[in-house]
Amino acid sequence: MATGQKARAHVSRDRGTMVDVAAVASNKINVPKAKFIEDVEDFMKGKDVQATLNEMQTLYNQYKQIEQGLQQNRIRLGNKLPEIKRALDTVCLLCAKAGTGEALDMHFELTEAVYAKAVVKDAESVYLWLGANVMLEYPLQEAKTLLETNHFNCKNNLGANKSDLAFVKDNITITEVSIARVFNWDVKKRKGEASNPKP
């Protein structure tokens, strides 16, 4: 950190926080919606039981894989949101104090669990991590705009992730029920055929 007219500030703890929050955004998922089987007898007409069960199991596995990806995405976004908010609060404070001549005592993280103390006076720019160990200097107002955009996107992406996750969970439940109903229908059919053999 430096003091004076061209003081700069490093405000981000998380090296993947500042830019491209949309890169870990919950994209609108593109998977087929599971259909509830109203009448198993009618649904299974002309179909092979094992092939149908295999198809349903494949779809179920796809839903579970998507669910796992969405849950991991939610954790990443949930971790980034408070980091972005802290960085935004710091930049807003620097913007408010810019040009006043008032010195700020600040602590910032150099690396995990290692902090440095600095006096910042009339800061004009900040450094933000872009990810992949790359840092870029931004004028205060640009940094504020960027962080506000990322904070807004992160919140929206968390909301989209929640609705996507609910959709996938519903489809997992429907598919589980469908697999069980087709399996039970087949067992019942086989028992009926065994007890009433064709002459």
Side-chain angles (χ1 to χ4, degrees):
M1 263 333 167
T3 59
Q5 281 301 102
K6 300 218 176 196
R8 298 176 178 125
H10 163 211
V11 298
S12 171
R13 290 181 66 237
D14 183 353
R15 299 183 178 181
T17 294
M18 297 302 102
V19 176
D20 260 353
V21 170
V24 293
S26 172
N27 297 326
K28 197 63 183 170
I29 54 176
N30 186 21
V31 291
K33 185 175 181 181
K35 294 178 182 176
F36 180 75
I37 303 171
E38 296 285 348
D39 185 344
V40 180
E41 184 83 38
D42 187 56
F43 176 78
M44 290 303 297
K45 278 181 184 173
K47 293 180 182 174
D48 178 69
V49 173
Q50 196 55 51
T52 303
L53 285 172
N54 287 344
E55 188 180 323
M56 288 179 172
Q57 188 63 48
T58 299
L59 187 60
Y60 173 80
N61 291 339
Q62 288 174 351
Y63 284 135
K64 290 299 285 183
Q65 194 172 10
I66 292 167
E67 180 189 36
Q68 185 179 10
L70 287 170
Q71 286 171 337
Q72 290 171 350
N73 202 15
R74 184 186 63 188
I75 292 168
R76 282 196 300 272
L77 289 167
N79 289 339
K80 285 185 179 297
L81 190 60
E83 292 289 343
I84 295 171
K85 183 68 169 74
R86 277 194 291 272
L88 179 58
D89 289 344
T90 303
V91 170
C92 286
L93 177 64
L94 291 171
C95 286
K97 299 297 182 182
T100 64
E102 184 180 344
L104 294 169
D105 288 330
M106 302 188 78
H107 293 84
F108 64 96
E109 190 174 22
L110 295 173
T111 185
E112 191 173 342
V114 178
Y115 291 83
K117 184 177 179 181
V119 177
V120 179
K121 185 177 179 182
D122 291 336
E124 294 179 352
S125 62
V126 292
Y127 287 98
L128 301 179
W129 286 105
L130 304 184
N133 293 322
V134 177
M135 181 187 276
L136 188 64
E137 183 179 8
Y138 285 89
L140 284 179
Q141 207 54 49
E142 280 185 34
K144 183 181 175 187
T145 301
L146 175 66
L147 291 170
E148 284 172 342
T149 301
N150 280 346
H151 188 258
F152 176 80
N153 288 341
C154 194
K155 284 174 73 175
N156 282 352
N157 291 336
L158 272 170
N161 179 278
K162 185 178 179 182
S163 63
D164 287 349
L165 203 49
F167 171 79
V168 171
K169 283 180 183 290
D170 286 346
N171 283 280
I172 287 171
T173 302
I174 291 169
T175 307
E176 285 173 335
V177 170
S178 296
I179 290 171
R181 292 185 74 204
V182 170
F183 181 82
N184 291 340
W185 172 84
D186 184 50
V187 170
K188 185 178 176 183
K189 181 170 169 277
R190 286 172 188 269
K191 281 184 179 177
E193 288 171 352
S195 61
N196 297 303
K198 291 181 181 178

